[in-house]
Amino acid sequence: MSAPLTLGHRLQRLFLTGLLTLLPLWLTWVVVKFVFVLLGDLSKPMVEPTLRGIAEGNPMTFGWLVEPWVQNALALVATVLVILLVGWLTRRVIGQRLLGWFEALVARIPLASTIYGSARKLLDILQTKPDGTQRVVLIDFPHNEMKTLGFVTRVMREQGTGRELAAVYVPTTPNPTSGYLEIVPMEKITPTDWNVDQAMSFIISGGAVAPDTIPFSPPAARPADAAGTT
């Protein structure tokens, strides 16, 4: 028979169980709060003066509009409505013309044009199916016995030899909006059959949301098919 657990061991086990239960909830809250606060802050400069003016005009009825949580909530709603309006306009001719005018204006600003153009191209690439190569791949990091997940954004050729090279964007976990860029020979890349949504779920969950089997070695480095040997 095993020895009974001491009070310290029981408390340690309970603490670890509670911590592992709360961590996913905490991570979800952090991400959602970050997005909501970021969206709300976009409209606060316009919403706050308007609400304050309404409250000062009739403090008995609308005094509650100056409460911080009310202003934050209405700022968030205003931003979401603006995003929906932009999405609706973008699908119309007038919205596409306004977008073209805005992009032409941004193109005249040196630093803004570089940032906007690069971000626009990256998002367009991730939303479209690749030609000739898989979008979601594995590359060696930090050595050939370990892999990291990345997105192929462009295929180039090495000057002089003509060898194919891939520009691979490697997002970080659990925040895929930050990351780094690797230039990898195509023969060193391990293609996958994942789509971008599956890859994002894998990254954000820290690998918890993943298929049971994945490729690991590049096709050129794999041994002969086991089905063809006896």
Side-chain angles (χ1 to χ4, degrees):
M1 294 180 61
S2 58
L5 294 176
T6 64
L7 178 60
H9 285 112
R10 290 179 180 177
L11 292 176
Q12 182 180 7
R13 181 172 293 183
L14 289 175
F15 178 81
L16 290 176
T17 302
L19 182 63
L20 294 177
T21 302
L22 291 175
L23 272 178
L25 298 175
W26 175 81
L27 178 60
T28 302
W29 165 248
V30 169
V31 174
V32 171
K33 181 181 178 182
F34 172 77
V35 173
F36 275 42
V37 170
L38 182 63
L39 291 178
D41 287 345
L42 295 176
S43 297
K44 266 189 178 181
M46 296 176 291
V47 171
E48 284 185 353
T50 303
L51 296 179
R52 191 179 301 111
I54 296 174
E56 290 175 353
N58 195 341
M60 296 296 294
T61 305
F62 298 109
W64 54 274
L65 290 177
V66 297
E67 294 292 334
W69 70 269
V70 175
Q71 295 184 353
N72 291 336
L74 293 179
L76 173 62
V77 171
T79 302
V80 171
L81 290 177
V82 170
I83 293 174
L84 293 175
L85 177 62
V86 170
W88 181 80
L89 285 175
T90 304
R91 294 178 176 272
R92 269 61 179 180
V93 175
I94 185 173
Q96 293 176 358
R97 289 179 179 175
L98 289 174
L99 181 61
W101 174 83
F102 173 77
E103 290 181 341
L105 178 64
V106 172
R108 298 180 180 181
I109 307 174
L111 181 60
S113 63
T114 301
I115 297 174
Y116 178 82
S118 301
R120 182 81 252 176
K121 287 180 181 178
L122 176 60
L123 292 176
D124 290 342
I125 286 172
L126 294 181
Q127 292 175 357
T128 57
K129 293 183 178 180
D131 296 327
T133 183
Q134 179 54 260
R135 179 75 68 214
V136 183
V137 298
L138 301 177
I139 63 173
D140 295 341
F141 182 82
H143 53 76
N144 58 4
E145 291 301 320
M146 298 178 68
K147 302 287 184 181
T148 191
L149 193 69
F151 301 100
V152 175
T153 58
R154 183 181 176 87
V155 176
M156 306 165 287
R157 291 191 178 274
E158 183 179 12
Q159 186 175 0
T161 66
R163 181 174 60 162
E164 283 191 320
L165 306 171
V168 182
Y169 171 67
V170 180
T172 55
T173 300
N175 178 16
T177 59
S178 64
Y180 53 92
L181 180 66
E182 296 277 353
I183 299 178
V184 187
M186 288 295 293
E187 64 270 16
K188 297 290 185 178
I189 283 179
T190 302
T192 73
D193 57 358
W194 296 6
N195 57 39
V196 174
D197 291 338
Q198 290 172 318
M200 286 299 185
S201 297
F202 179 79
I203 294 166
I204 294 174
S205 69
V209 180
D212 294 331
T213 60
I214 62 172
F216 192 80
S217 301
R222 294 174 189 169
D225 187 6
T229 61
T230 56

